[in-house]
């Protein structure tokens, strides 16, 4: 009787067996290329990291993308090692809000420790993205991750390019950051 009650409770609180489903196939290089572009949480998060990097790091614009992509690959490794990531989907959606807020409030002349803390936050959230995608990957997972990294880099570069194009207009920066953060809140609401 006690074991049945525990099993029933575990069933009620268990998450899905495959994290981050619902964006289509997760098999091979082409699906890896497609997912970041057609998954709104990833599209917005990766664009926001590029925007933040372009606005805040004019000479080291690559640092945000490098932190994100490196941590995303580490998160994938954690998944492939069989280590779970509690509330990974919640962390992914929260990344959209946080990256939007970073874009909204950050500036080029901010103290270095704030920039360092922002890069650390980018890495922590990126590890969740990598973990979720490695967990859902099927078939040729290395090809999927490779395609995913290429699309991620392209979206970061797009964000950096947009930021550089509007860098002299702080209201545009704030509007983009607020729009991304509000989109993340909307995703959280379901």
């Amino acid at each position: 009787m006690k074991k049945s009650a525990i099993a029933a409770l575990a069933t009620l609180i268990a998450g899905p067996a495959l994290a981050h489903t619902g964006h289509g196939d997760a098999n091979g290089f082409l699906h890896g290329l497609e997912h970041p572009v057609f998954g709104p949480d990833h599209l917005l998060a990766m664009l926001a990291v590029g925007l933040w990097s372009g606005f805040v790091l004019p000479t080291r614009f690559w640092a945000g993308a490098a932190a994100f992509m490196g941590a995303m690959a580490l998160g994938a490794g954690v998944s492939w090692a069989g280590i779970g990531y509690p509330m990974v989907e919640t962390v992914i959606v929260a990344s959209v809000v946080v990256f939007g807020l970073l874009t909204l409030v950050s500036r080029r002349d901010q103290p270095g420790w704030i920039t360092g803390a922002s890069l650390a936050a980018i890495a922590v959230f990126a590890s969740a993205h990598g973990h979720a995608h490695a967990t859902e990957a099927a078939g040729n997972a290395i090809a999927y991750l490779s395609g995913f990294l290429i699309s991620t880099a392209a979206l970061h570069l797009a964000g950096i390019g947009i930021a550089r194009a509007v860098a002299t207009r702080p209201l545009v920066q704030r509007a983009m950051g607020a729009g991304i953060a509000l989109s993340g809140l909307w995703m959280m609401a379901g």
Side-chain angles (χ1 to χ4, degrees):
M1 180 70 152
K2 188 175 181 181
K3 287 182 183 180
S4 297
I6 292 171
L9 181 62
T11 301
L12 290 174
I13 63 172
L18 292 174
H20 206 70
T21 59
H23 292 301
D25 289 324
N27 180 16
F29 183 74
L30 289 177
H31 290 131
L33 282 174
E34 292 174 349
H35 185 90
V37 177
F38 296 112
D41 49 351
H42 300 284
L43 175 68
L44 291 171
M46 293 169 199
L47 280 173
V49 169
L51 289 168
W52 177 85
S53 296
F55 286 128
V56 177
L57 304 169
T59 59
R60 295 181 302 131
F61 59 87
W62 50 266
F68 191 100
M69 292 173 57
M72 189 170 72
L74 284 173
V78 168
S79 172
W80 289 334
I83 301 169
Y85 197 127
M87 298 176 34
V88 69
E89 293 301 323
T90 304
V91 174
I92 288 171
V93 175
S95 75
V96 177
V97 176
V98 171
F99 295 163
L101 291 173
L102 287 176
T103 302
L104 172 68
V105 302
S106 295
R107 59 188 197 285
R108 285 191 176 172
D109 61 347
Q110 66 188 16
W113 70 268
I114 293 176
T115 301
S118 299
L119 286 168
I122 287 169
V124 168
F125 286 111
S127 69
H129 286 264
H131 190 282
H133 291 293
T135 300
E136 73 182 353
N140 191 343
I142 297 296
Y144 178 74
L145 182 62
S146 298
F148 201 88
L149 285 169
I150 290 168
S151 282
T152 297
L155 289 169
H156 289 317
L157 288 172
I160 290 165
I162 293 167
R164 289 187 165 205
V166 299
T168 59
R169 296 183 279 197
L171 280 177
V172 175
Q173 173 186 347
R174 290 184 188 102
M176 287 189 287
I180 291 169
L182 288 172
S183 295
L185 289 172
W186 181 76
M187 284 186 253
M188 282 182 174

